[in-house]
Amino acid sequence: MKETVKSLLLTFLVVCSLVQSYFLIYRLPGSNPVVKTENDYIKTENMGSEMRAEELIFPAQVSIHMGDNRHTVFYPDSMFYDLIYSRLKGRMFEGFQRYAVDNMNWSEIRSRYAGLELQFDRGVPVSLLQKVMQISADPLFEEESINRVFIYNGEDEERARVFFFSSQGDVVYEATKADLTVQDVRQQVDFGKDWIPYTLKDGYYIPEKPIDMVQTVLKVGTFSTEQIQGSLFFDPSITRTIREKDGSEIYTDSRRSLQVKQDGNWINYTDPAAPSAGENSPASNALSSIDFVNQHGGWNGSYRLEQVDGLDEMNTVVFRQYFGNGQFGAFPIMDFSSFRYGTISLAMRQGTITGYERSLLYVKTGDWEKQVVQLSGGKELRDKIEQLSGVVNLYPAYLPSLSQEGLLLKPTWIVELSSGAVHELK
């Protein structure tokens, strides 16, 4: 009998030892295993910080309508923008009804009634917007992407009306149960009474006075090629280097490739053979992209989700960097072919990252050279715009350039044309 008990006890101890060994090797379910495969990457330390989706989703601007065709605009990180956005994030929106977008005269409503708009440019999937706003689950529009939220006080109504515009441009959803009173909207609209007046023209806003921005020269450093290689290749020691005629270098392990351009401060990484993750939706693509950046380089500053494509086999996710300094707010940094900076772009295939482009520059801490400059407004600005045809958007931004002194961020007006082209307004 004793021998039988001893044998059972020994068997139990052996089983426990095997189970413990399994968890030591593979950790707990749902976490990363210690044993790596060729499809895994090594997380690089001491580069950018990690960010959550909630930190990357915010409106490009908040437009205020004060009635009698009076408007103004607040930009990210400015005092009134933050006040309005923080209040709206705490309100509940539910009871959605769908209408054709041309059922109402939106231009007349913007000009006539007091209200405000959160503008998300190319659109944010509803499931991501729910991470920053209290939007109830509703099958009617949960698969939609929203490019603006419009709130206004109608005539003789006790509660404000709230509309979510589809980025497809054909439908709009009204939240018939929103805990926003007419007084709530009036209080937020009052923030704009003493601000710079803007004129609404063809869907975009023109300031009637010059606006102030900060021009600055930032001290920057560059992450090394070895750092990003260690993040993107399973075994960097087996990569080989190819030098191109234009001076760029390509590192490859015969499956992945990493092209280093622009004197070592811009990378273009491709992994065309990456296995498909299976799930393919705008929201999941955006979340996968955020996770990928967190693990492979991180975020160097403030970024906003600017673009997330639909359900095609090949999609793109783009994050735009913002820079702010002082009371004037934060503004997007443009990324033009003359100097690549300001965006992190990821290519997706069936939910899997197959391409990754970004700058390796990072901003050093310390004092920066800066000065307040004015961008033109009123007639001077309108005269410049009228020299172009097909303008659909206008906004202030930073134009970056690199010199021995550092990274110059020059304030400028940016115009978007109906053709899709984006230009500095000179």
Side-chain angles (χ1 to χ4, degrees):
M1 181 67 180
K2 290 182 178 180
E3 294 300 323
T4 302
V5 172
K6 287 180 180 180
S7 297
L8 291 173
L9 181 61
L10 181 59
T11 301
F12 176 75
L13 291 174
V14 169
V15 170
C16 288
S17 177
L18 291 172
V19 171
Q20 185 180 30
S21 297
Y22 173 84
F23 284 119
L24 285 173
I25 295 174
Y26 292 97
R27 300 184 184 177
L28 295 175
S31 65
N32 295 326
V34 174
V35 175
K36 296 287 184 179
T37 70
E38 187 181 350
N39 292 327
D40 292 319
Y41 299 94
I42 304 168
K43 182 179 177 181
T44 300
E45 303 296 340
N46 301 322
M47 292 183 68
S49 60
E50 294 189 5
M51 297 184 76
R52 297 173 292 111
E54 292 85 339
E55 301 171 88
L56 298 159
I57 300 170
F58 53 90
Q61 63 185 41
V62 174
S63 307
I64 302 296
H65 311 300
M66 294 171 282
D68 297 323
N69 204 26
R70 295 177 297 126
H71 314 272
T72 194
V73 175
F74 297 132
Y75 299 105
D77 283 351
S78 62
M79 180 177 65
F80 291 135
Y81 173 104
D82 290 341
L83 277 172
I84 292 170
Y85 190 39
S86 63
R87 289 183 180 184
L88 292 179
K89 287 194 291 186
R91 301 306 178 111
M92 190 69 190
F93 303 94
E94 54 189 339
F96 292 95
Q97 293 184 1
R98 173 174 172 163
Y99 310 104
V101 72
D102 55 6
N103 274 2
M104 300 175 72
N105 188 334
W106 301 106
S107 295
E108 180 182 351
I109 291 172
R110 289 184 180 94
S111 299
R112 183 176 178 182
Y113 299 112
L116 60 143
E117 286 184 81
L118 310 182
Q119 297 177 235
F120 291 94
D121 288 347
R122 301 186 187 183
V124 177
V126 169
S127 57
L128 293 184
L129 202 56
Q130 287 171 327
K131 292 181 175 293
V132 293
M133 298 182 71
Q134 306 299 310
I135 301 172
S136 66
D138 192 315
L140 183 64
F141 85 131
E142 61 185 7
E143 299 301 321
E144 278 283 7
S145 182
I146 301 301
N147 63 9
R148 69 178 63 227
V149 181
F150 184 22
I151 304 168
Y152 76 95
N153 290 337
E155 288 184 355
D156 302 324
E157 295 183 3
E158 296 181 357
R159 305 201 67 79
R161 301 192 70 178
V162 182
F163 294 87
F164 292 75
F165 285 73
S166 168
S167 58
Q168 298 297 317
D170 56 344
V171 296
V172 62
Y173 298 84
E174 182 175 11
T176 60
K177 298 178 182 178
D179 59 344
L180 276 171
T181 65
V182 168
Q183 185 61 30
D184 291 330
V185 176
R186 188 176 295 121
Q187 287 177 352
Q188 298 185 54
V189 169
D190 283 346
F191 292 145
K193 284 187 174 179
D194 297 321
W195 211 247
I196 296 174
Y198 281 68
T199 297
L200 177 59
K201 175 181 171 61
D202 299 332
Y204 61 91
Y205 297 85
I206 301 175
E208 291 305 315
K209 298 178 180 179
I211 70 168
D212 291 330
M213 289 179 66
V214 173
Q215 179 170 296
T216 185
V217 177
L218 306 176
K219 301 299 181 183
V220 294
T222 307
F223 294 124
S224 69
T225 303
E226 289 74 19
Q227 282 179 292
I228 199 68
Q229 268 190 280
S231 168
L232 294 170
F233 291 96
F234 173 70
D235 185 359
S237 66
I238 65 172
T239 61
R240 60 190 178 93
T241 306
I242 303 171
R243 190 175 299 276
E244 298 288 279
K245 292 181 180 180
D246 62 0
S248 65
E249 293 181 325
I250 297 177
Y251 301 85
T252 180
D253 62 359
S254 299
R255 170 184 158 179
R256 309 174 179 95
S257 70
L258 173 68
Q259 187 174 20
V260 183
K261 307 177 181 179
Q262 202 172 264
D263 297 325
N265 59 45
W266 184 265
I267 63 161
N268 185 354
Y269 168 78
T270 58
D271 185 5
S276 174
E279 187 176 3
N280 182 33
S281 71
S284 64
N285 286 344
L287 293 174
S288 296
S289 297
I290 293 169
D291 288 342
F292 189 92
V293 176
N294 282 340
Q295 298 169 15
H296 308 106
W299 310 85
N300 312 115
S302 175
Y303 284 81
R304 187 178 73 88
L305 176 62
E306 180 174 271
Q307 174 185 344
V308 51
D309 288 342
L311 298 175
D312 296 334
E313 181 179 350
M314 300 296 294
N315 296 293
T316 302
V317 180
V318 178
F319 301 92
R320 172 77 59 184
Q321 187 172 359
Y322 275 62
F323 178 79
N325 193 312
Q327 62 180 335
F328 309 119
F331 302 91
I333 301 175
M334 302 310 296
D335 178 7
F336 290 140
S337 59
S338 56
F339 180 70
R340 301 302 309 276
Y341 187 82
T343 59
I344 295 177
S345 178
L346 299 102
M348 312 282 295
R349 187 190 67 242
Q350 293 295 319
T352 299
I353 284 87
T354 59
Y356 180 39
E357 286 194 77
R358 65 171 299 158
S359 174
L360 292 182
L361 294 175
Y362 65 91
V363 177
K364 296 180 179 179
T365 57
D367 294 331
W368 304 321
E369 176 187 332
K370 54 190 175 183
Q371 66 179 107
V372 177
V373 299
Q374 287 191 329
L375 293 184
S376 61
K379 183 178 184 304
E380 181 183 352
L381 180 55
R382 284 196 296 271
D383 288 344
K384 292 180 180 179
I385 295 172
E386 288 174 1
Q387 296 177 20
L388 303 172
S389 59
V391 175
V392 296
N393 199 8
L394 170 77
Y395 54 89
Y398 284 109
L399 192 66
S401 61
L402 192 62
S403 68
Q404 291 183 347
E405 287 71 33
L407 180 68
L408 170 64
L409 295 182
K410 171 192 168 186
T412 187
W413 283 112
I414 297 295
V415 290
E416 294 182 7
L417 306 181
S418 56
S419 64
V422 178
H423 300 291
E424 176 190 8
L425 184 64
K426 297 182 179 180

